[in-house]
Amino acid sequence: PLCDTRISKEQIKLLQENILKSHSAGVGPLVTDLIAKLMLITKAHALSMGFSGISLEVVERIVFFIHHEIIPEVPSQGSVGASGDLAPLAHLFLPIIGLGKVKVDGKTMSVAKMHTLHHLEPLSLGAKEGLALINGTQFILSYAVLGLSRFYNCLEVADIVGAMSLEGLLGSISPFMKELHELRPFEGSQLVATRMSKLLSGSEMVASHEHCDRVQDPYSLRCIPQVHGASRNAWSHLNELVITELNSVTDNPIILNAQTSISGGNFHGQLLAMPLDYAGLAAAEIGNISDRRTYLLLEGTRNGLPRLLMKNTGINSGFMIPQYTSAALASENKGLCWPASADSIPTSLGQEDHVSMGSISGRKFNAIIDNLEKILAIELICAAQAFDYRKPLKSGLILDHCHKLIRTKINHAEEDHIFSENIKLAHELISSGALVKKANETAHAHHIDLRNTTG
């Protein structure tokens, strides 16, 4: 060798010391500004119900923070989901008593500086007020509220992209017949079957193989109503419970009236922890079936689609690596599906001997959705590529408009390039709600009801 490139033990030790110095001890990453704001809003609402022993002055200070976009710094780790989300909520309300840090107009500053800017003084809390602020499920609830919105968008996207993949693969629409799903009338599967039928209505691609001899499609196409529908049922269950929690009092003790105070367990997060874990599994399954459809699109054995979705794959890898990415994300989600609520570690010297770990359930749910959006983005660019090979045949009105939207951002590809840019653009179309908006606007303009399962 021309030089000695081995790393010495001294260099490794120095590297380890520098890594340790660059990380703050014991705090963990911070929640996003949106989650912190949701925590403020949900806590203000719960306190305003009048059973927490809190003064109007404290509630008004919380509302002032909300209206003026004063966002406290809150760690995302540290709650076990019982006795409420004590650690995150404590950080959330440190600024009320003059401690901690906040963001104002996107800039982090001391609470003292924020008080000066807004001509405020720290509040002195009375009896029970500290407990009212730090006890409750607002951390879990805020992640659930955010996750519900994001998951619903993904469910809508999955139907649209699944329908596009089915058209690209020249799949059958007979598995979406209303009469079939009336024999197993789950709400979610009936809704998805209706949406698939209407998304595919009027498609020349579907009509082009009406009398083909294929009897059955793979499950990732044929069973879209059952799989997507099961996840929609999970969403509906979580949505119902979150609405209840949003209108609940979850701190402790509860002040019923001037004579009666009860120390109970309304702070326990189990009522959300378990459905959040279930919803995480439901979201992961949407990614799992999406990845399988992407794989089918690349197989090159389905009615004339080129292998790897490119005509010249001798020197091109086609869409192979995007599908690798999809598979990796789907696998990662399977690991995240392990239920946090299955665990309990005693705290508080054994007084809190069963806890929900619901805060972890909420964070994992949103982490799964992060991956799901990217998996759907990869299926979207592959389905759009397959669409192009079916021209001059047209799709139905809704999918045709969705395809045109995609092509305003992402071009058809006949040679390898940096696909990560395509995935990023497709992800933006999905996460921003633009794809679902285009589908719904087109449906409305042509009097197509994508939600009516009786018509």
Side-chain angles (χ1 to χ4, degrees), residues 67-101:
H67 286 167
H68 291 82
E69 298 285 341
I70 299 169
I71 309 298
E73 282 196 353
V74 180
S76 64
Q77 296 169 298
S79 170
V80 295
S83 265
D85 298 306
L86 291 176
L89 286 171
H91 282 268
L92 186 72
F93 294 116
L94 281 175
I96 283 182
I97 59 173
L99 302 174
K101 291 183 178 180

PDB file of all heavy atoms in Angstrom, residues 67-101:
ATOM      1  N   HIS A  67     -53.168  31.838  19.427  1.00  0.00           N
ATOM      2  CA  HIS A  67     -53.488  32.908  18.483  1.00  0.00           C
ATOM      3  C   HIS A  67     -52.251  33.638  17.969  1.00  0.00           C
ATOM      4  O   HIS A  67     -52.231  34.135  16.848  1.00  0.00           O
ATOM      5  CB  HIS A  67     -54.441  33.910  19.130  1.00  0.00           C
ATOM      6  CG  HIS A  67     -55.840  33.388  19.255  1.00  0.00           C
ATOM      7  ND1 HIS A  67     -56.800  33.982  20.027  1.00  0.00           N
ATOM      8  CD2 HIS A  67     -56.443  32.304  18.703  1.00  0.00           C
ATOM      9  CE1 HIS A  67     -57.928  33.302  19.937  1.00  0.00           C
ATOM     10  NE2 HIS A  67     -57.733  32.280  19.154  1.00  0.00           N
ATOM     11  N   HIS A  68     -51.220  33.688  18.788  1.00  0.00           N
ATOM     12  CA  HIS A  68     -50.011  34.416  18.411  1.00  0.00           C
ATOM     13  C   HIS A  68     -48.885  33.493  17.934  1.00  0.00           C
ATOM     14  O   HIS A  68     -47.740  33.941  17.789  1.00  0.00           O
ATOM     15  CB  HIS A  68     -49.529  35.291  19.578  1.00  0.00           C
ATOM     16  CG  HIS A  68     -50.443  36.452  19.876  1.00  0.00           C
ATOM     17  ND1 HIS A  68     -51.586  36.311  20.633  1.00  0.00           N
ATOM     18  CD2 HIS A  68     -50.387  37.752  19.488  1.00  0.00           C
ATOM     19  CE1 HIS A  68     -52.198  37.494  20.710  1.00  0.00           C
ATOM     20  NE2 HIS A  68     -51.494  38.371  20.019  1.00  0.00           N
ATOM     21  N   GLU A  69     -49.230  32.219  17.680  1.00  0.00           N
ATOM     22  CA  GLU A  69     -48.252  31.258  17.140  1.00  0.00           C
ATOM     23  C   GLU A  69     -47.001  31.183  18.012  1.00  0.00           C
ATOM     24  O   GLU A  69     -45.866  31.147  17.513  1.00  0.00           O
ATOM     25  CB  GLU A  69     -47.872  31.613  15.696  1.00  0.00           C
ATOM     26  CG  GLU A  69     -49.032  31.569  14.714  1.00  0.00           C
ATOM     27  CD  GLU A  69     -49.455  30.145  14.355  1.00  0.00           C
ATOM     28  OE1 GLU A  69     -48.650  29.226  14.573  1.00  0.00           O
ATOM     29  OE2 GLU A  69     -50.595  29.980  13.882  1.00  0.00           O
ATOM     30  N   ILE A  70     -47.193  31.170  19.315  1.00  0.00           N
ATOM     31  CA  ILE A  70     -46.090  30.964  20.262  1.00  0.00           C
ATOM     32  C   ILE A  70     -46.034  29.476  20.561  1.00  0.00           C
ATOM     33  O   ILE A  70     -46.926  28.924  21.203  1.00  0.00           O
ATOM     34  CB  ILE A  70     -46.298  31.782  21.549  1.00  0.00           C
ATOM     35  CG1 ILE A  70     -46.349  33.279  21.217  1.00  0.00           C
ATOM     36  CG2 ILE A  70     -45.196  31.485  22.563  1.00  0.00           C
ATOM     37  CD1 ILE A  70     -46.815  34.152  22.367  1.00  0.00           C
ATOM     38  N   ILE A  71     -45.005  28.803  20.068  1.00  0.00           N
ATOM     39  CA  ILE A  71     -44.941  27.343  20.096  1.00  0.00           C
ATOM     40  C   ILE A  71     -43.859  26.885  21.078  1.00  0.00           C
ATOM     41  O   ILE A  71     -42.659  27.078  20.828  1.00  0.00           O
ATOM     42  CB  ILE A  71     -44.638  26.770  18.697  1.00  0.00           C
ATOM     43  CG1 ILE A  71     -45.595  27.351  17.648  1.00  0.00           C
ATOM     44  CG2 ILE A  71     -44.707  25.251  18.723  1.00  0.00           C
ATOM     45  CD1 ILE A  71     -47.045  27.038  17.870  1.00  0.00           C
ATOM     46  N   PRO A  72     -44.223  26.275  22.194  1.00  0.00           N
ATOM     47  CA  PRO A  72     -43.220  25.778  23.142  1.00  0.00           C
ATOM     48  C   PRO A  72     -42.409  24.623  22.557  1.00  0.00           C
ATOM     49  O   PRO A  72     -42.899  23.867  21.705  1.00  0.00           O
ATOM     50  CB  PRO A  72     -44.063  25.295  24.327  1.00  0.00           C
ATOM     51  CG  PRO A  72     -45.387  25.987  24.180  1.00  0.00           C
ATOM     52  CD  PRO A  72     -45.597  26.114  22.699  1.00  0.00           C
ATOM     53  N   GLU A  73     -41.167  24.492  22.992  1.00  0.00           N
ATOM     54  CA  GLU A  73     -40.348  23.339  22.628  1.00  0.00           C
ATOM     55  C   GLU A  73     -40.751  22.158  23.500  1.00  0.00           C
ATOM     56  O   GLU A  73     -40.740  22.243  24.726  1.00  0.00           O
ATOM     57  CB  GLU A  73     -38.859  23.645  22.830  1.00  0.00           C
ATOM     58  CG  GLU A  73     -38.262  24.480  21.724  1.00  0.00           C
ATOM     59  CD  GLU A  73     -36.738  24.444  21.735  1.00  0.00           C
ATOM     60  OE1 GLU A  73     -36.158  23.881  22.691  1.00  0.00           O
ATOM     61  OE2 GLU A  73     -36.115  24.976  20.802  1.00  0.00           O
ATOM     62  N   VAL A  74     -41.100  21.054  22.846  1.00  0.00           N
ATOM     63  CA  VAL A  74     -41.598  19.872  23.559  1.00  0.00           C
ATOM     64  C   VAL A  74     -40.853  18.639  23.062  1.00  0.00           C
ATOM     65  O   VAL A  74     -40.818  18.386  21.848  1.00  0.00           O
ATOM     66  CB  VAL A  74     -43.114  19.682  23.321  1.00  0.00           C
ATOM     67  CG1 VAL A  74     -43.629  18.451  24.055  1.00  0.00           C
ATOM     68  CG2 VAL A  74     -43.887  20.923  23.751  1.00  0.00           C
ATOM     69  N   PRO A  75     -40.253  17.841  23.955  1.00  0.00           N
ATOM     70  CA  PRO A  75     -39.594  16.602  23.514  1.00  0.00           C
ATOM     71  C   PRO A  75     -40.617  15.577  23.058  1.00  0.00           C
ATOM     72  O   PRO A  75     -41.724  15.505  23.593  1.00  0.00           O
ATOM     73  CB  PRO A  75     -38.853  16.128  24.774  1.00  0.00           C
ATOM     74  CG  PRO A  75     -39.596  16.733  25.906  1.00  0.00           C
ATOM     75  CD  PRO A  75     -40.119  18.046  25.415  1.00  0.00           C
ATOM     76  N   SER A  76     -40.245  14.781  22.068  1.00  0.00           N
ATOM     77  CA  SER A  76     -41.171  13.782  21.545  1.00  0.00           C
ATOM     78  C   SER A  76     -41.094  12.470  22.311  1.00  0.00           C
ATOM     79  O   SER A  76     -41.912  11.575  22.077  1.00  0.00           O
ATOM     80  CB  SER A  76     -40.880  13.516  20.067  1.00  0.00           C
ATOM     81  OG  SER A  76     -39.591  12.958  19.910  1.00  0.00           O
ATOM     82  N   GLN A  77     -40.147  12.346  23.202  1.00  0.00           N
ATOM     83  CA  GLN A  77     -40.000  11.116  23.989  1.00  0.00           C
ATOM     84  C   GLN A  77     -40.140  11.433  25.468  1.00  0.00           C
ATOM     85  O   GLN A  77     -39.905  12.550  25.906  1.00  0.00           O
ATOM     86  CB  GLN A  77     -38.630  10.482  23.711  1.00  0.00           C
ATOM     87  CG  GLN A  77     -38.463  10.021  22.271  1.00  0.00           C
ATOM     88  CD  GLN A  77     -37.024   9.656  21.950  1.00  0.00           C
ATOM     89  OE1 GLN A  77     -36.126  10.491  22.014  1.00  0.00           O
ATOM     90  NE2 GLN A  77     -36.808   8.402  21.590  1.00  0.00           N
ATOM     91  N   GLY A  78     -40.544  10.431  26.226  1.00  0.00           N
ATOM     92  CA  GLY A  78     -40.602  10.596  27.678  1.00  0.00           C
ATOM     93  C   GLY A  78     -41.943  10.294  28.303  1.00  0.00           C
ATOM     94  O   GLY A  78     -42.059  10.251  29.523  1.00  0.00           O
ATOM     95  N   SER A  79     -42.970  10.074  27.477  1.00  0.00           N
ATOM     96  CA  SER A  79     -44.284   9.737  28.028  1.00  0.00           C
ATOM     97  C   SER A  79     -44.518   8.239  27.950  1.00  0.00           C
ATOM     98  O   SER A  79     -44.235   7.613  26.925  1.00  0.00           O
ATOM     99  CB  SER A  79     -45.390  10.459  27.253  1.00  0.00           C
ATOM    100  OG  SER A  79     -46.660   9.970  27.631  1.00  0.00           O
ATOM    101  N   VAL A  80     -45.058   7.665  29.025  1.00  0.00           N
ATOM    102  CA  VAL A  80     -45.467   6.257  29.008  1.00  0.00           C
ATOM    103  C   VAL A  80     -46.978   6.126  28.817  1.00  0.00           C
ATOM    104  O   VAL A  80     -47.530   5.031  28.842  1.00  0.00           O
ATOM    105  CB  VAL A  80     -45.023   5.516  30.291  1.00  0.00           C
ATOM    106  CG1 VAL A  80     -43.517   5.442  30.373  1.00  0.00           C
ATOM    107  CG2 VAL A  80     -45.610   6.169  31.535  1.00  0.00           C
ATOM    108  N   GLY A  81     -47.665   7.252  28.648  1.00  0.00           N
ATOM    109  CA  GLY A  81     -49.078   7.214  28.293  1.00  0.00           C
ATOM    110  C   GLY A  81     -50.014   6.870  29.426  1.00  0.00           C
ATOM    111  O   GLY A  81     -51.100   6.347  29.203  1.00  0.00           O
ATOM    112  N   ALA A  82     -49.619   7.186  30.651  1.00  0.00           N
ATOM    113  CA  ALA A  82     -50.527   7.033  31.794  1.00  0.00           C
ATOM    114  C   ALA A  82     -50.080   8.033  32.850  1.00  0.00           C
ATOM    115  O   ALA A  82     -48.921   8.417  32.896  1.00  0.00           O
ATOM    116  CB  ALA A  82     -50.515   5.623  32.342  1.00  0.00           C
ATOM    117  N   SER A  83     -51.024   8.438  33.732  1.00  0.00           N
ATOM    118  CA  SER A  83     -50.912   9.685  34.469  1.00  0.00           C
ATOM    119  C   SER A  83     -50.868  10.819  33.463  1.00  0.00           C
ATOM    120  O   SER A  83     -50.335  11.891  33.707  1.00  0.00           O
ATOM    121  CB  SER A  83     -49.677   9.748  35.377  1.00  0.00           C
ATOM    122  OG  SER A  83     -50.021   9.355  36.683  1.00  0.00           O
ATOM    123  N   GLY A  84     -51.365  10.520  32.289  1.00  0.00           N
ATOM    124  CA  GLY A  84     -51.300  11.482  31.201  1.00  0.00           C
ATOM    125  C   GLY A  84     -49.914  11.493  30.585  1.00  0.00           C
ATOM    126  O   GLY A  84     -49.034  10.716  30.951  1.00  0.00           O
ATOM    127  N   ASP A  85     -49.732  12.383  29.635  1.00  0.00           N
ATOM    128  CA  ASP A  85     -48.430  12.559  28.977  1.00  0.00           C
ATOM    129  C   ASP A  85     -47.621  13.576  29.775  1.00  0.00           C
ATOM    130  O   ASP A  85     -47.376  14.706  29.340  1.00  0.00           O
ATOM    131  CB  ASP A  85     -48.654  13.040  27.537  1.00  0.00           C
ATOM    132  CG  ASP A  85     -49.422  12.030  26.704  1.00  0.00           C
ATOM    133  OD1 ASP A  85     -48.994  10.866  26.644  1.00  0.00           O
ATOM    134  OD2 ASP A  85     -50.460  12.401  26.113  1.00  0.00           O
ATOM    135  N   LEU A  86     -47.187  13.153  30.961  1.00  0.00           N
ATOM    136  CA  LEU A  86     -46.635  14.088  31.947  1.00  0.00           C
ATOM    137  C   LEU A  86     -45.442  14.886  31.431  1.00  0.00           C
ATOM    138  O   LEU A  86     -45.429  16.120  31.501  1.00  0.00           O
ATOM    139  CB  LEU A  86     -46.225  13.321  33.211  1.00  0.00           C
ATOM    140  CG  LEU A  86     -47.350  12.736  34.057  1.00  0.00           C
ATOM    141  CD1 LEU A  86     -46.775  11.932  35.211  1.00  0.00           C
ATOM    142  CD2 LEU A  86     -48.265  13.836  34.586  1.00  0.00           C
ATOM    143  N   ALA A  87     -44.420  14.192  30.923  1.00  0.00           N
ATOM    144  CA  ALA A  87     -43.193  14.894  30.532  1.00  0.00           C
ATOM    145  C   ALA A  87     -43.418  15.867  29.368  1.00  0.00           C
ATOM    146  O   ALA A  87     -43.023  17.041  29.453  1.00  0.00           O
ATOM    147  CB  ALA A  87     -42.089  13.887  30.203  1.00  0.00           C
ATOM    148  N   PRO A  88     -44.054  15.440  28.275  1.00  0.00           N
ATOM    149  CA  PRO A  88     -44.285  16.399  27.186  1.00  0.00           C
ATOM    150  C   PRO A  88     -45.167  17.576  27.606  1.00  0.00           C
ATOM    151  O   PRO A  88     -44.897  18.719  27.232  1.00  0.00           O
ATOM    152  CB  PRO A  88     -44.977  15.555  26.102  1.00  0.00           C
ATOM    153  CG  PRO A  88     -44.631  14.153  26.410  1.00  0.00           C
ATOM    154  CD  PRO A  88     -44.488  14.085  27.892  1.00  0.00           C
ATOM    155  N   LEU A  89     -46.226  17.302  28.371  1.00  0.00           N
ATOM    156  CA  LEU A  89     -47.114  18.383  28.800  1.00  0.00           C
ATOM    157  C   LEU A  89     -46.413  19.345  29.754  1.00  0.00           C
ATOM    158  O   LEU A  89     -46.681  20.557  29.744  1.00  0.00           O
ATOM    159  CB  LEU A  89     -48.375  17.819  29.440  1.00  0.00           C
ATOM    160  CG  LEU A  89     -49.381  17.205  28.453  1.00  0.00           C
ATOM    161  CD1 LEU A  89     -50.493  16.472  29.208  1.00  0.00           C
ATOM    162  CD2 LEU A  89     -49.986  18.281  27.554  1.00  0.00           C
ATOM    163  N   ALA A  90     -45.521  18.825  30.580  1.00  0.00           N
ATOM    164  CA  ALA A  90     -44.755  19.706  31.472  1.00  0.00           C
ATOM    165  C   ALA A  90     -43.926  20.696  30.654  1.00  0.00           C
ATOM    166  O   ALA A  90     -43.879  21.891  30.954  1.00  0.00           O
ATOM    167  CB  ALA A  90     -43.859  18.879  32.391  1.00  0.00           C
ATOM    168  N   HIS A  91     -43.264  20.209  29.604  1.00  0.00           N
ATOM    169  CA  HIS A  91     -42.493  21.095  28.728  1.00  0.00           C
ATOM    170  C   HIS A  91     -43.402  22.070  27.989  1.00  0.00           C
ATOM    171  O   HIS A  91     -43.033  23.231  27.779  1.00  0.00           O
ATOM    172  CB  HIS A  91     -41.688  20.267  27.720  1.00  0.00           C
ATOM    173  CG  HIS A  91     -40.448  19.662  28.286  1.00  0.00           C
ATOM    174  ND1 HIS A  91     -39.226  20.286  28.230  1.00  0.00           N
ATOM    175  CD2 HIS A  91     -40.236  18.497  28.946  1.00  0.00           C
ATOM    176  CE1 HIS A  91     -38.316  19.539  28.814  1.00  0.00           C
ATOM    177  NE2 HIS A  91     -38.901  18.446  29.257  1.00  0.00           N
ATOM    178  N   LEU A  92     -44.583  21.588  27.585  1.00  0.00           N
ATOM    179  CA  LEU A  92     -45.517  22.434  26.847  1.00  0.00           C
ATOM    180  C   LEU A  92     -45.909  23.667  27.650  1.00  0.00           C
ATOM    181  O   LEU A  92     -46.080  24.762  27.088  1.00  0.00           O
ATOM    182  CB  LEU A  92     -46.765  21.627  26.480  1.00  0.00           C
ATOM    183  CG  LEU A  92     -47.782  22.314  25.576  1.00  0.00           C
ATOM    184  CD1 LEU A  92     -47.259  22.419  24.147  1.00  0.00           C
ATOM    185  CD2 LEU A  92     -49.122  21.559  25.589  1.00  0.00           C
ATOM    186  N   PHE A  93     -46.012  23.514  28.974  1.00  0.00           N
ATOM    187  CA  PHE A  93     -46.525  24.617  29.788  1.00  0.00           C
ATOM    188  C   PHE A  93     -45.476  25.291  30.674  1.00  0.00           C
ATOM    189  O   PHE A  93     -45.809  26.159  31.481  1.00  0.00           O
ATOM    190  CB  PHE A  93     -47.715  24.133  30.624  1.00  0.00           C
ATOM    191  CG  PHE A  93     -48.892  23.764  29.759  1.00  0.00           C
ATOM    192  CD1 PHE A  93     -49.362  22.466  29.714  1.00  0.00           C
ATOM    193  CD2 PHE A  93     -49.490  24.720  28.960  1.00  0.00           C
ATOM    194  CE1 PHE A  93     -50.428  22.131  28.893  1.00  0.00           C
ATOM    195  CE2 PHE A  93     -50.557  24.398  28.136  1.00  0.00           C
ATOM    196  CZ  PHE A  93     -51.028  23.099  28.101  1.00  0.00           C
ATOM    197  N   LEU A  94     -44.205  24.923  30.487  1.00  0.00           N
ATOM    198  CA  LEU A  94     -43.138  25.659  31.173  1.00  0.00           C
ATOM    199  C   LEU A  94     -43.184  27.161  30.863  1.00  0.00           C
ATOM    200  O   LEU A  94     -42.982  27.989  31.760  1.00  0.00           O
ATOM    201  CB  LEU A  94     -41.765  25.100  30.786  1.00  0.00           C
ATOM    202  CG  LEU A  94     -41.324  23.804  31.473  1.00  0.00           C
ATOM    203  CD1 LEU A  94     -40.005  23.328  30.875  1.00  0.00           C
ATOM    204  CD2 LEU A  94     -41.188  23.989  32.974  1.00  0.00           C
ATOM    205  N   PRO A  95     -43.447  27.569  29.604  1.00  0.00           N
ATOM    206  CA  PRO A  95     -43.465  29.009  29.305  1.00  0.00           C
ATOM    207  C   PRO A  95     -44.511  29.797  30.094  1.00  0.00           C
ATOM    208  O   PRO A  95     -44.339  31.007  30.301  1.00  0.00           O
ATOM    209  CB  PRO A  95     -43.781  29.048  27.808  1.00  0.00           C
ATOM    210  CG  PRO A  95     -43.263  27.747  27.278  1.00  0.00           C
ATOM    211  CD  PRO A  95     -43.549  26.760  28.366  1.00  0.00           C
ATOM    212  N   ILE A  96     -45.564  29.141  30.544  1.00  0.00           N
ATOM    213  CA  ILE A  96     -46.589  29.851  31.322  1.00  0.00           C
ATOM    214  C   ILE A  96     -46.015  30.372  32.633  1.00  0.00           C
ATOM    215  O   ILE A  96     -46.406  31.440  33.119  1.00  0.00           O
ATOM    216  CB  ILE A  96     -47.808  28.937  31.559  1.00  0.00           C
ATOM    217  CG1 ILE A  96     -48.636  28.864  30.273  1.00  0.00           C
ATOM    218  CG2 ILE A  96     -48.670  29.422  32.717  1.00  0.00           C
ATOM    219  CD1 ILE A  96     -49.881  28.036  30.374  1.00  0.00           C
ATOM    220  N   ILE A  97     -45.062  29.615  33.201  1.00  0.00           N
ATOM    221  CA  ILE A  97     -44.452  30.054  34.465  1.00  0.00           C
ATOM    222  C   ILE A  97     -43.067  30.671  34.237  1.00  0.00           C
ATOM    223  O   ILE A  97     -42.283  30.825  35.176  1.00  0.00           O
ATOM    224  CB  ILE A  97     -44.381  28.900  35.486  1.00  0.00           C
ATOM    225  CG1 ILE A  97     -43.561  27.724  34.944  1.00  0.00           C
ATOM    226  CG2 ILE A  97     -45.783  28.445  35.861  1.00  0.00           C
ATOM    227  CD1 ILE A  97     -43.308  26.616  35.969  1.00  0.00           C
ATOM    228  N   GLY A  98     -42.745  30.971  32.970  1.00  0.00           N
ATOM    229  CA  GLY A  98     -41.508  31.701  32.682  1.00  0.00           C
ATOM    230  C   GLY A  98     -40.298  30.860  32.395  1.00  0.00           C
ATOM    231  O   GLY A  98     -39.178  31.375  32.390  1.00  0.00           O
ATOM    232  N   LEU A  99     -40.473  29.578  32.118  1.00  0.00           N
ATOM    233  CA  LEU A  99     -39.349  28.681  31.881  1.00  0.00           C
ATOM    234  C   LEU A  99     -39.430  28.069  30.484  1.00  0.00           C
ATOM    235  O   LEU A  99     -40.417  28.234  29.773  1.00  0.00           O
ATOM    236  CB  LEU A  99     -39.334  27.573  32.939  1.00  0.00           C
ATOM    237  CG  LEU A  99     -39.241  28.035  34.396  1.00  0.00           C
ATOM    238  CD1 LEU A  99     -39.392  26.849  35.334  1.00  0.00           C
ATOM    239  CD2 LEU A  99     -37.916  28.760  34.644  1.00  0.00           C
ATOM    240  N   GLY A 100     -38.363  27.361  30.089  1.00  0.00           N
ATOM    241  CA  GLY A 100     -38.353  26.669  28.815  1.00  0.00           C
ATOM    242  C   GLY A 100     -38.003  27.570  27.645  1.00  0.00           C
ATOM    243  O   GLY A 100     -37.517  28.698  27.812  1.00  0.00           O
ATOM    244  N   LYS A 101     -38.269  27.070  26.447  1.00  0.00           N
ATOM    245  CA  LYS A 101     -38.009  27.807  25.218  1.00  0.00           C
ATOM    246  C   LYS A 101     -39.241  27.748  24.324  1.00  0.00           C
ATOM    247  O   LYS A 101     -40.055  26.828  24.414  1.00  0.00           O
ATOM    248  CB  LYS A 101     -36.800  27.233  24.466  1.00  0.00           C
ATOM    249  CG  LYS A 101     -35.475  27.467  25.161  1.00  0.00           C
ATOM    250  CD  LYS A 101     -34.317  26.941  24.318  1.00  0.00           C
ATOM    251  CE  LYS A 101     -32.977  27.222  24.988  1.00  0.00           C
ATOM    252  NZ  LYS A 101     -31.841  26.719  24.168  1.00  0.00           N
TER     253      LYS A 101
END
